[in-house]
Amino acid sequence: MLAEYVAESLFRVEPLVAGRAAAVLPFIRLFEPGLTQERWRDFVRSFAKAGAGGLMIIQDRRGYVHGVFSCRPAYSIGHGRVLRVADVVLPRLPGTATLRTFLDGVKQLAADFGCNAVLIELGERTRHIRSDLESLSDTGFSASAITYCCPVPA
């Protein structure tokens, strides 16, 4: 039930279909230059098998990708059923249209999945989103947690 969501009619959020995954890789490499085609393919496949949720893209009317994120319904002790959003790739662009589309889109997806809240993990590549407190608070979001990561040697 990943329904298309249109915001301000400039951008829309929709599922990343398998046939477009290879075409999105150059956009992802702008932010993750070391990402191999094989690793990207494995990442995309992991969401194809996951069931509910998946990889989503933010694109303009011409079909150009302006953002990517993953989402899946889950449960949280504090919030009940939530939409967990991660792997956010959203460049800093003039204005707030793409950010607003992303924030409004994840709220709509959460409603579609019957979730009570949205939990968004914002990594280093999205520092500009974390600093745009006005857009976050205007759309109902507030800081809720901090995530730490430690790579595990192979």
Side-chain angles (χ1 to χ4, degrees):
M1 179 172 14
L2 295 176
E4 181 180 294
Y5 175 74
V6 179
E8 300 179 25
S9 71
L10 295 174
F11 300 100
R12 65 181 179 267
V13 173
E14 63 183 41
L16 174 61
V17 295
R20 274 198 79 193
V24 174
L25 179 57
F27 171 79
I28 299 296
R29 281 187 175 152
L30 293 172
F31 305 91
E32 297 287 341
L35 183 63
T36 65
Q37 187 171 1
E38 180 182 359
R39 190 166 167 195
W40 172 245
R41 190 175 29 242
D42 291 345
F43 179 74
V44 171
R45 283 183 186 148
S46 74
F47 284 96
K49 298 175 185 176
L55 289 175
M56 305 296 290
I57 57 174
I58 299 168
Q59 66 180 15
D60 64 20
R61 286 179 250 172
R62 298 168 298 169
Y64 293 112
V65 175
H66 292 267
V68 175
F69 62 92
S70 66
C71 65
R72 66 179 172 84
Y75 283 89
S76 162
I77 292 173
H79 302 287
R81 187 168 169 84
V82 298
L83 183 69
R84 290 196 178 269
V85 177
D87 307 303
V88 179
V89 178
L90 191 64
R92 180 188 273 295
L93 297 173
T96 61
T98 53
L99 177 56
R100 294 293 176 126
T101 299
F102 166 67
L103 296 172
D104 291 343
V106 296
K107 290 193 304 188
Q108 182 61 51
L109 286 166
D112 290 349
F113 282 117
C115 297
N116 303 315
V118 178
L119 300 177
I120 303 174
E121 177 185 309
L122 296 174
E124 284 302 305
R125 74 177 85 84
T126 53
R127 219 179 274 185
H128 61 283
I129 297 173
R130 294 190 316 238
S131 66
D132 190 351
L133 298 176
E134 183 178 329
S135 289
L136 289 168
S137 63
D138 284 354
T139 54
F141 287 90
S142 61
S144 174
I146 297 174
T147 301
Y148 293 91
C149 176
C150 176
V152 177

